[in-house]
């Protein structure tokens, strides 16, 4: 997609489809942009509203042909709802909706109208994100009806205001959206394609391209270090496990010595292992590396944005498979931290690989931790597919992550990580066991991870319910959402600007 910017009379924009948003119940003269387009279209917008055919409800659309004295061949109105959403979110979602309509109409180019009353950098960023996220194609293996090929030109325009603000916004929007789509692509790929080795290869190519350092530990290196928890999970698989460690170093090192570590669960396929999952929906378990993909996406964006704080990305990558060599319920493994773990259920594998990855991040000097994982089915019961759960050992750090999520347009809801839940993961034969029973599954999983974070400020995001969209939205395809990528970038920037 070629993205350009323009400050010019909107009716002169030479595009196939000109897109304008309208709020529910909004008077046309509340926006000089709408007023002018209405006047030049011979009152078409006004009559659509008068007839009740278009009311501005969220994601409602009206596609208007040859709209009078307007250079664009079509005018697309997109409803923006009541105006109760944050501006960036509204623009991201309406622009995404417009992009998907344009794709379905097989049009080639779009002009998106930013109102001059908006903060133009924020608006341009959100519009760019919306379009690039909206057209993400999950059907890359489909050999027919590839209509998405046509739409390849986007102009973000305003009638008045600062061109450099628009450009800044577009630049940032491109970086964040491409990083998110990179994560979505990796998550969408079948596990036969994105194996742990392939994930490591993709990470290596990405790191080289975006000025990041990378080291990939193989199983022998993990064995030498004593990473029994990752290796325990990997035992059942013929695909070798990898520990991907990416480092972003800012140009000038900071005095305060912060090192932010992002740890992402990278199970490229979760069968459950010997505690085998049922067949129904098992195909979805290719997305069990969405946390790892989010970390890779965030590192990609950081390599471009280059904020002044060093960041470590750690992704333990392995399959979770049953086999004659697989770990079995009742086995005891020794983690890198030295703590022993009784594996009661081999399907609770995410927390095992995170245990070693987090310990390793601490050995490398992490002063702050955030982990992302498709960790529990229970989080879907608790929060559905709207909010991801957040838990941690430091209220302020958790609040910081939630605030970063707000900026990014990603939602997190806190659950209590109370000492009292620790009872549930006590083991009779080892230091801890890897499941805590049916009650409070999101919390006992986090409690398990907490055993390995020590006193480093840490936040855990359980994204099992939010990393994959079962039903498409007007502004987004069903499938991988890329949740976490933008939150991690904003979080890094917040840390950098303190
Ligand atoms: N990868 C799953 C969690 C999951 C479930 C992700 C649904 C996405 C959608 C995880 O490894 C798992 O199997 N968790 C178990 C834990 C249980 C055995 C304590 C679960 O949630 O059932
Ligand atoms: Zn599992
Ligand atoms: Zn899993």
């Amino acid at each position: 997609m070629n993205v350009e910017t323009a400050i010019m009379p909107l009716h002169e924009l030479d595009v196939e489809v000109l897109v304008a948003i309208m709020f529910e119940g909004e008077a046309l003269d509340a926006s000089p942009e709408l007023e002018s387009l209405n006047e030049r279209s011979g009152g078409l917008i006004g009559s659509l509203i008068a007839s009740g055919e278009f009311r501005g409800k969220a994601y409602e659309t009206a596609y208007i042909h040859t709209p009078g004295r307007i250079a664009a061949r079509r005018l697309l109105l997109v409803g923006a709802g009541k105006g109760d959403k944050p501006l960036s979110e509204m623009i991201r979602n309406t622009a995404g909706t417009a992009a998907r309509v344009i794709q379905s109409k097989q049009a080639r180019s779009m002009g998106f109208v930013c109102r001059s009353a908006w903060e133009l950098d924020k608006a341009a960023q959100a519009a760019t994100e919306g379009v690039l996220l909206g057209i993400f194609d999950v059907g890359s293996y489909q050999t027919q009806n590839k209509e998405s090929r046509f739409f390849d030109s986007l102009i973000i325009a305003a009638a008045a205001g600062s061109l450099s603000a628009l450009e800044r916004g577009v630049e940032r929007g491109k970086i964040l959206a491409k990083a998110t789509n990179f994560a979505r692509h990796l998550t969408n790929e079948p596990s036969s394609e994105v194996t742990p080795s392939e994930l490591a290869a993709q990470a290596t190519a990405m790191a080289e391209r975006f000025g990041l350092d990378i080291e990939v530990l193989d199983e022998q290196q993990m064995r030498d270090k004593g990473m029994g928890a990752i290796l325990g999970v990997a035992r059942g698989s013929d695909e070798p496990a990898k520990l991907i460690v990416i480092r972003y170093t800012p140009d000038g090192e900071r005095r305060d010595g912060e090192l932010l570590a992002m740890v992402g669960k990278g199970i490229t396929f979760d069968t459950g292992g010997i505690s085998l999952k049922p067949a129904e929906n098992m195909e979805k378990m290719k997305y069990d590396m969405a946390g790892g993909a989010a970390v890779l996406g965030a590192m990609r964006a950081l390599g471009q944005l280059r904020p002044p704080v060093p960041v470590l990305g750690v992704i333990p990558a392995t399959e979770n498979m049953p086999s004659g060599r697989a770990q079995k319920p009742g086995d005891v493994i020794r983690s890198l931290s030295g703590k022993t773990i009784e594996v009661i259920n081999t399907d609770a594998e995410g927390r095992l690989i995170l245990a070693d990855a987090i310990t390793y991040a601490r050995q490398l000097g992490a002063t702050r931790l955030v982990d992302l994982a498709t960790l529990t089915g229970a989080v879907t019961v608790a929060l559905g597919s709207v909010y991801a759960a957040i838990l941690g050992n430091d209220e302020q750090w958790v609040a910081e992550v939630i605030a970063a999520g707000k900026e990014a347009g990603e939602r997190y809801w806190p659950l209590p990580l109370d000492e009292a839940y620790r009872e549930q993961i006590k083991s009779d034969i080892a230091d801890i066991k890897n499941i805590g029973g049916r009650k409070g599954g999101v919390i006992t999983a986090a409690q398990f991870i907490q055993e390995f974070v020590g006193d480093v400020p840490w936040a855990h995001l359980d994204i099992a319910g939010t990393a994959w969209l079962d039903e498409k939205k007007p502004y987004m395809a069903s499938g991988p959402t890329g949740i976490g990528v933008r939150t991690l970038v904003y979080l890094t920037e917040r840390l950098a600007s303190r």
Side-chain angles (χ1 to χ4, degrees):
M1 177 73 57
N2 182 39
V3 192
E4 284 171 44
T5 52
I7 301 281
M8 63 187 280
L10 300 170
H11 62 267
E12 288 176 13
L13 267 175
D14 182 24
V15 288
E16 215 169 316
V17 185
L18 188 64
V19 176
I21 68 108
M22 203 189 104
F23 292 102
E24 201 174 332
E26 185 178 32
L28 281 179
D29 61 7
S31 152
E33 290 84 0
L34 278 184
E35 192 173 35
S36 141
L37 292 173
N38 183 49
E39 191 255 315
R40 291 199 154 257
S41 67
L44 269 176
I45 303 179
S47 70
L48 274 170
I49 296 166
S51 66
E53 284 166 86
F54 184 79
R55 280 176 295 180
K57 286 193 180 304
Y59 317 132
E60 183 187 9
T61 57
Y63 197 60
I64 307 167
H65 283 216
T66 53
R69 293 175 298 128
I70 295 174
R73 266 70 84 208
R74 305 279 187 271
L75 182 61
L76 175 61
L77 294 177
V78 183
K82 295 195 175 73
D84 49 359
K85 294 260 158 52
L87 186 70
S88 287
E89 187 174 330
M90 181 280 286
I91 295 175
R92 197 182 305 115
N93 292 350
T94 49
T97 303
R100 292 174 63 76
V101 169
I102 284 173
Q103 217 170 23
S104 74
K105 304 284 186 198
Q106 311 206 357
R108 282 163 204 282
S109 62
M110 157 174 168
F112 186 87
V113 174
C114 288
R115 297 187 180 184
S116 300
W118 295 341
E119 275 182 81
L120 286 186
D121 53 348
K122 292 226 172 90
Q125 181 190 330
T128 306
E129 285 176 12
V131 170
L132 296 182
L133 296 174
I135 62 170
F136 175 79
D137 182 14
V138 290
S140 55
Y141 289 91
Q142 289 177 338
T143 56
Q144 269 145 39
N145 304 326
K146 300 301 293 173
E147 55 202 17
S148 54
R149 268 189 220 126
F150 295 100
F151 177 26
D152 64 1
S153 165
L154 169 66
I155 303 182
I156 307 285
S162 155
L163 186 63
S164 69
L166 280 186
E167 281 168 355
R168 265 201 316 279
V170 165
E171 224 20 71
R172 199 172 150 80
K174 272 161 70 175
I175 289 171
L176 290 173
K178 285 182 183 181
T180 307
N181 284 346
F182 174 61
R184 292 167 83 191
H185 170 74
L186 290 172
T187 306
N188 194 48
E189 284 290 292
S191 69
S192 57
E193 295 293 322
V194 173
T195 58
S197 300
E198 178 59 20
L199 193 66
Q202 294 277 339
T204 304
M206 182 278 289
E208 275 162 15
R209 182 170 161 204
F210 294 99
L212 306 164
D213 297 316
I214 182 163
E215 191 187 359
V216 178
L217 304 192
D218 62 19
E219 289 192 353
Q220 188 55 51
Q221 290 168 302
M222 290 191 250
R223 210 164 289 124
D224 293 343
K225 292 193 191 299
M227 298 182 173
I230 299 180
L231 292 168
V233 174
R235 262 178 58 187
S237 173
D238 286 349
E239 290 289 341
K242 304 284 172 186
L243 182 66
I244 304 167
V245 183
I246 306 187
R247 199 182 278 271
Y248 161 69
T249 310
D251 306 323
E253 197 67 39
R254 294 217 318 171
R255 279 157 293 124
D256 64 7
E258 291 278 13
L259 175 62
L260 170 59
M262 311 172 164
V263 181
K265 174 177 174 181
I267 295 289
T268 59
F269 198 82
D270 184 10
T271 66
I274 295 296
S275 312
L276 192 65
K277 287 182 181 293
E280 195 172 313
N281 294 326
M282 203 207 272
E283 76 284 355
K284 291 270 207 56
M285 283 303 114
K286 67 176 183 178
Y287 89 83
D288 212 16
M289 36 61 75
V295 170
L296 290 179
M299 295 301 297
R300 184 190 198 270
L302 293 172
Q304 293 179 280
L305 296 167
R306 307 204 78 81
V309 67
V311 181
L312 200 61
V314 182
I315 300 137
T318 175
E319 293 183 332
N320 185 25
M321 297 289 285
S323 88
R325 287 209 315 271
Q327 68 174 352
K328 298 175 286 297
D331 287 358
V332 174
I333 54 184
R334 182 178 299 274
S335 66
L336 177 61
S337 70
K339 284 194 183 172
T340 55
I341 303 163
E342 184 187 8
V343 179
I344 302 291
N345 188 319
T346 64
D347 197 10
E349 84 298 340
R351 61 199 76 180
L352 298 178
I353 66 170
L354 289 173
D356 278 354
I358 284 173
T359 304
Y360 193 53
R362 284 176 57 207
Q363 289 183 356
L364 294 176
T367 63
R368 289 183 185 269
L369 281 164
V370 56
D371 81 75
L372 294 88
T374 46
L375 205 63
T376 67
V379 78
T380 316
V381 178
L383 297 174
S385 52
V386 180
Y387 277 79
I390 183 167
L391 305 95
N393 61 355
D394 182 308
E395 248 175 69
Q396 247 151 34
W397 184 234
V398 166
E400 197 77 15
V401 179
I402 294 173
K406 280 223 170 85
E407 289 184 86
E410 299 178 326
R411 295 189 265 264
Y412 304 99
W413 198 261
L415 289 176
L417 192 56
D418 194 298
E419 181 67 30
Y421 292 97
R422 201 188 171 281
E423 288 297 312
Q424 289 172 245
I425 55 168
K426 277 190 177 160
S427 164
D428 290 334
I429 70 158
D431 294 332
I432 41 171
K433 58 183 181 182
N434 78 329
I435 61 169
R438 272 171 38 80
K439 293 180 176 175
V442 185
I443 301 173
T444 53
Q447 194 75 50
F448 180 94
I449 297 171
Q450 185 173 25
E451 294 289 319
F452 301 90
V453 303
D455 50 16
V456 179
W458 155 76
H460 159 67
L461 307 176
D462 191 336
I463 58 171
T466 44
W468 192 272
L469 208 60
D470 287 326
E471 309 259 333
K472 68 177 182 205
K473 305 259 192 219
Y475 50 87
M476 194 137 110
S478 61
T481 61
I483 185 177
V485 173
R486 284 172 291 131
T487 300
L488 290 174
V489 172
Y490 281 94
L491 181 65
T492 307
E493 290 177 334
R494 291 176 74 89
L495 190 60
S497 66
R498 305 218 286 201

